[in-house]
């Protein structure tokens, strides 16, 4: 049974497929394989250049659209009011869908007022083209601005999160408000897989290091994860994390790993929480 999370009356499968760095026929094949295996949460973005392939895979799967949770993201140069609407319409055409379940600001852009972007996104939600709106790569200061000053109804914050990177400040802000954290790069681009403690716990359970890291995330309150996978084998491996029960000692050991290992930190990054 796929675990789901709920906020604002909207349910999202806790485990999804991230499609960053998947392109062309490989992307279409992986998304179709994921859907065939039972994945119902697919994450893409304008900047990934693969919305058309994601849309094709969904259409060819034959799965009713209302059974899927589809996320895309607005790129930094398309955050003004007019560009939010135009670029979302383009995304919908590429995705071959009348709406997306979740539209995110991919990265904050200090050159565009947050109220302008979120206001345009809210208008899209009212029009039915977007079910929920949210943000990505937002530290607490920007979350607070979006929620408390702009008054936006934020569904989630999508950030890098794995056992080697603490997101305690962000979680402490999201949880009391019922907002969700969606973890991207949940394996730290392979660094988590090589960690001795993660490998020890994996051996203890007869599991893979990836399953241990994902089970740690998925067992947390209000946390979803969108690992990328390049093959059916990896899709199955990630899916099996849903059935891995970590005991309190395992979780405590993984909690102690939390540090500042950030694998996605481009030059335009905001001031991260410490």
């Amino acid at each position: 049974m796929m675990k789901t999370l709920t906020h604002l009356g909207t349910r999202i499968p806790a485990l999804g497929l991230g499609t960053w760095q998947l392109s062309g026929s490989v992307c279409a094949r992986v998304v179709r394989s994921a859907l065939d295996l039972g994945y119902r949460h697919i994450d893409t973005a304008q900047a990934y250049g693969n919305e058309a392939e994601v849309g094709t895979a969904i259409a060819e799967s034959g799965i009713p659209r209302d059974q899927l949770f589809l996320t895309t993201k607005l790129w930094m140069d398309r955050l003004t009011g007019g560009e939010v609407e135009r670029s979302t319409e383009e995304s919908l055409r590429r995705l071959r869908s009348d709406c997306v379940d979740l539209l995110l600001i991919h990265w904050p852009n200090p050159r565009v007022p947050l109220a302008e972007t979120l206001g345009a996104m809210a208008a899209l939600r009212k029009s039915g083209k977007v079910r929920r709106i949210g943000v990505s790569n937002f530290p607490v200061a920007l979350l607070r601005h979006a929620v408390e000053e702009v008054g936006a109804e934020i569904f989630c914050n999508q950030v890098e999160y794995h056992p080697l990177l603490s997101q305690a400040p962000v979680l402490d802000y999201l949880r009391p408000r019922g907002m969700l954290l969606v973890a991207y790069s949940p394996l730290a681009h392979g660094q988590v897989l090589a960690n001795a403690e993660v490998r020890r716990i994996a051996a203890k359970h007869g599991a893979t290091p990836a399953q241990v890291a994902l089970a740690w995330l998925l067992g947390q309150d209000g946390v979803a994860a969108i690992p990328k996978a390049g093959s059916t084998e990896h899709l199955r491996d990630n899916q099996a994390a849903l059935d891995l029960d970590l005991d309190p000692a395992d979780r405590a050991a993984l909690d102690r790993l939390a540090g500042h290992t950030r694998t996605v930190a481009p030059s335009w990054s905001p001031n991260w929480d410490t």
Side-chain angles (χ1 to χ4, degrees):
M1 180 72 68
M2 182 66 74
K3 176 186 176 183
T4 61
L5 304 173
T6 303
H7 180 45
L8 300 173
T10 298
R11 293 161 66 91
I12 179 174
L15 178 67
L17 171 66
T19 63
W20 182 37
Q21 297 179 324
L22 294 177
S23 61
S25 60
V26 172
C27 178
R29 174 180 55 77
V30 170
V31 172
R32 179 62 191 275
S33 294
L35 295 171
D36 289 346
L37 288 171
Y39 283 75
R40 294 295 181 265
H41 174 185
I42 307 295
D43 180 276
T44 183
Q46 294 172 355
Y48 297 172
N50 62 15
E51 287 175 316
E53 288 77 11
V54 169
T56 295
I58 290 173
E60 292 180 350
S61 74
I63 297 169
R65 178 65 184 81
D66 62 3
Q67 293 182 19
L68 301 176
F69 193 97
L70 178 60
T71 300
T72 196
K73 311 178 196 73
L74 300 163
W75 189 239
M76 294 172 63
D77 61 359
R78 310 207 71 175
L79 296 181
T80 60
E83 281 299 298
V84 167
E85 182 176 5
R86 279 190 291 273
S87 67
T88 301
E89 292 280 6
E90 293 166 11
S91 289
L92 291 174
R93 285 195 290 273
R94 287 190 291 265
L95 291 164
R96 299 164 66 171
S97 181
D98 293 332
C99 75
V100 289
D101 297 283
L102 180 60
L103 181 67
L104 303 179
I105 297 174
H106 202 153
W107 288 90
N109 183 346
R111 295 184 299 278
V112 182
L114 193 52
E116 179 179 346
T117 306
L118 289 168
M121 293 168 73
L124 284 170
R125 187 172 68 82
K126 288 180 182 177
S127 74
K129 294 174 182 176
V130 171
R131 289 182 65 207
R132 291 294 171 196
I133 65 172
V135 297
S136 182
N137 298 300
F138 269 43
V140 171
L142 284 175
L143 278 172
R144 184 175 290 115
H145 178 48
V147 174
E148 299 174 27
E149 297 176 36
V150 177
E153 199 172 58
I154 299 297
F155 183 75
C156 74
N157 187 17
Q158 187 181 116
V159 294
E160 179 177 357
Y161 186 33
H162 45 73
L164 306 181
L165 177 63
S166 172
Q167 286 289 6
V170 169
L171 285 165
D172 287 346
Y173 187 84
L174 295 175
R175 281 179 172 146
R177 295 161 178 82
M179 293 183 285
L180 308 178
L181 185 152
V182 178
Y184 73 72
S185 298
L187 306 179
H189 294 242
Q191 291 188 46
V192 168
L193 308 183
N195 181 271
E197 192 66 8
V198 174
R199 295 179 71 85
R200 180 190 68 77
I201 294 169
K204 169 184 170 181
H205 290 277
T208 67
Q211 288 165 359
V212 168
L214 291 173
W216 177 77
L217 288 168
L218 297 171
Q220 296 180 40
D221 179 38
V223 175
I226 49 168
K228 186 189 77 171
S231 67
T232 300
E233 179 184 2
H234 285 153
L235 287 165
R236 286 198 181 100
D237 187 50
N238 294 342
Q239 202 172 29
L242 291 163
D243 299 320
L244 176 58
D245 291 322
L246 299 176
D247 60 42
D250 299 328
R251 291 198 163 275
L254 293 167
D255 290 345
R256 287 193 292 271
L257 298 178
H260 304 285
T261 299
R262 192 178 292 277
T263 64
V264 181
S267 60
W268 56 80
S269 296
N271 293 322
W272 302 116
D273 298 299
T274 56

